[in-house]
Amino acid sequence: MFEEMFQYLEEYLCEHGGNQYRLNGQSFRLRTEHTRRVYEWLQRLIKENPPLPLKKEEVCIACIFHDIGYALGREGHAAHSSNIFRQYAKKNNISMPKTEYICQLIAGHSDKKSLQEENTSYELTLLMEADLLDEEGALSILLDCLEEGKNSACSYIGVYDRLQSYPMKILEYNPMVTPAGKRFWREKQELVQLFMKHLNRDLGL
């Protein structure tokens, strides 16, 4: 079932020109790849957090559809995603209560401030944590290396400066709420800190 949804996601994004990130011509970033990585983070969070009552199928489906709305534009993508899923659910005979709950998760996933609110559901918390964990740490370092490599006068110092502006910001806070989420974030912080320590030494800074 889930794989069929992933296929629908890819077909929809490609058909509407929404699979590639339009930001700074980052053709190496694809929404479908991001979604699969977020889905894997979600599975890790579910597995490694203490067992709690969870609507697992609903949050997994919400994860697959959470960014499909980028096919219709960046502004308001969460609402677009929710509406697209509602149409999909109707065509595939998904019950109305389940559809509405999944739509709530999709529509709310971009409001990361609600992570710290007590009334935020466990499902939405896991979805937002999984979304935040992607492209931080190792992937964030790679992203900035790829971005610097597009410059005609790219350099090690250029990469270093970019890393100071983006990946290093992960060291300033830990937005996670669940025990596993906090641990995963700390691991990313430690990786970035160690990498920058070695880079500083290698560049003689």
Side-chain angles (χ1 to χ4, degrees):
M1 177 182 69
F2 294 144
E3 190 55 40
E4 290 178 2
M5 291 180 178
F6 274 116
Q7 290 175 8
Y8 179 86
L9 168 73
E10 183 168 4
E11 290 170 3
Y12 192 97
L13 286 171
C14 290
E15 181 181 343
H16 293 81
N19 199 17
Q20 287 189 341
Y21 282 65
R22 297 188 179 100
L23 183 65
N24 299 327
Q26 294 174 344
S27 60
F28 53 86
R29 297 172 77 197
L30 299 176
R31 297 283 173 197
T32 47
E33 293 179 357
H34 162 71
T35 301
R36 285 190 179 273
R37 292 193 303 266
V38 173
Y39 185 84
E40 289 304 315
W41 276 117
L42 177 63
Q43 303 313 306
R44 295 182 191 112
L45 289 167
I46 292 172
K47 180 180 178 181
E48 300 199 28
N49 271 308
L52 293 173
L54 174 69
K55 296 179 179 179
K56 185 175 180 179
E57 182 175 312
E58 285 86 339
V59 72
C60 287
I61 294 173
C63 179
I64 294 170
F65 282 87
H66 81 281
D67 273 356
I68 196 171
Y70 273 102
L72 304 182
R74 183 179 183 86
E75 189 69 27
H77 83 275
H80 292 318
S81 298
S82 179
N83 291 332
I84 294 168
F85 172 72
R86 185 174 280 108
Q87 296 169 12
Y88 174 91
K90 185 176 182 180
K91 290 179 181 178
N92 289 272
N93 300 314
I94 298 175
S95 72
M96 185 61 69
K98 180 179 288 188
T99 295
E100 290 307 312
Y101 186 70
I102 293 169
C103 284
Q104 288 178 22
L105 295 177
I106 295 171
H109 85 272
S110 288
D111 183 17
K112 298 302 193 289
K113 291 181 181 179
S114 65
L115 258 177
Q116 306 303 322
E117 297 175 3
E118 292 184 4
N119 62 344
T120 299
S121 71
Y122 186 47
E123 289 81 5
L124 183 54
T125 295
L126 292 177
L127 178 58
M128 288 191 289
E129 286 191 341
D131 197 22
L132 283 169
L133 283 163
D134 184 42
E135 290 197 329
E136 292 290 354
L139 280 186
S140 184
I141 292 171
L142 284 179
L143 172 57
D144 282 295
C145 291
L146 287 166
E147 274 295 288
E148 177 63 19
K150 295 192 302 185
N151 296 331
S152 58
C154 61
S155 66
Y156 290 134
I157 294 297
V159 173
Y160 175 84
D161 289 340
R162 289 189 64 88
L163 295 178
Q164 290 286 352
S165 299
Y166 298 103
M168 283 291 283
K169 288 185 177 180
I170 195 177
L171 302 180
E172 299 173 2
Y173 63 103
N174 188 330
M176 301 291 111
V177 173
T178 69
K182 289 180 179 179
R183 175 168 57 81
F184 287 137
W185 196 268
R186 283 195 302 270
E187 290 173 357
K188 288 175 176 287
Q189 288 176 317
E190 291 166 2
L191 183 148
V192 169
Q193 198 165 30
L194 180 61
F195 180 88
M196 293 303 292
K197 175 183 176 181
H198 282 270
L199 185 58
N200 269 272
R201 185 176 63 187
D202 290 347
L203 293 176
L205 300 175

